[in-house]
Amino acid sequence: MADQLHEKVQLYLREHHVMTLASHGDEGAWAAAVFYAHDGFAIYFLSAASSRHGRNLAGNPRASAAIHEDYADWREIKGIQMEGIASELAGEEAEQARRCYGAKFPIVGKLGEAPAKIVEALAKVRWYKLVPERLYFIDNSAGFGHRDEIDLRRSDSE
């Protein structure tokens, strides 16, 4: 059962591109849409450290996120909700994030071929990683409000 759930989540992460990241800081709660890539359950994204969520994460690394589509029928809703710790990356970890992100978004992986505006923009951002502690796969096709939990705080992840 746990393996099937993990496979569903990995497939959903591969097939989607944008997550809504929620953070909290001195100005209160904030949500921002960011493109992401993943390695297992670790989620990589990039953003300006000066953005509101960048400032929030610098002061409080606890974050949550949601990945979903826009549905017209509530019975079709599927998605992922997660909570965990987000951190800014440097050195080899940032390079690993760039490689992972570049595999999903080739324009980032091949900066030599990217338009100058993309290269310029990427020089101004930082790499982040959200490591979920708990993750829920939502599937209303299995019943209203149906969600399966993966507790990543436990070693067996079941």
Side-chain angles (χ1 to χ4, degrees):
M1 172 76 171
D3 288 342
Q4 288 177 333
L5 177 57
H6 288 208
E7 287 176 30
K8 268 198 230 181
V9 169
Q10 293 300 312
L11 178 62
Y12 201 88
L13 289 170
R14 275 192 305 278
E15 291 179 343
H16 295 83
H17 301 89
V18 177
M19 76 173 177
T20 301
L21 175 73
S23 60
H24 191 274
D26 293 339
E27 299 173 72
W30 187 248
V34 296
F35 284 101
Y36 74 89
H38 75 288
D39 183 9
F41 293 109
I43 308 293
Y44 296 112
F45 62 97
L46 49 88
S47 193
S50 62
S51 67
R52 185 163 168 184
H53 56 276
R55 293 189 318 268
N56 286 353
L57 294 174
N60 179 2
R62 293 215 52 84
S64 59
I67 300 166
H68 54 85
E69 297 170 56
D70 185 17
Y71 294 94
D73 184 343
W74 64 265
R75 294 170 293 196
E76 296 176 15
I77 293 173
K78 289 185 178 145
I80 296 172
Q81 298 170 322
M82 66 183 87
E83 61 180 289
I85 303 295
S87 58
E88 185 179 326
L89 303 177
E92 179 52 36
E93 280 189 308
E95 187 56 30
Q96 166 61 23
R98 189 193 65 74
R99 285 191 301 270
C100 184
Y101 205 86
K104 188 167 187 174
F105 304 104
I107 198 164
V108 175
K110 298 176 183 177
L111 286 181
E113 300 172 20
K117 293 280 187 192
I118 297 290
V119 174
E120 185 180 308
L122 288 172
K124 298 176 184 176
V125 296
R126 308 277 173 80
W127 291 101
Y128 293 85
K129 177 167 75 170
L130 173 59
V131 178
E133 294 174 339
R134 287 193 304 181
L135 181 147
Y136 300 92
F137 187 72
I138 311 305
D139 186 355
N140 273 6
S141 69
F144 180 70
H146 181 88
R147 66 184 198 164
D148 294 306
E149 179 180 0
I150 299 174
D151 188 343
L152 297 163
R153 298 171 297 181
R154 300 188 325 217
S155 60
D156 62 3
S157 297
E158 291 184 26

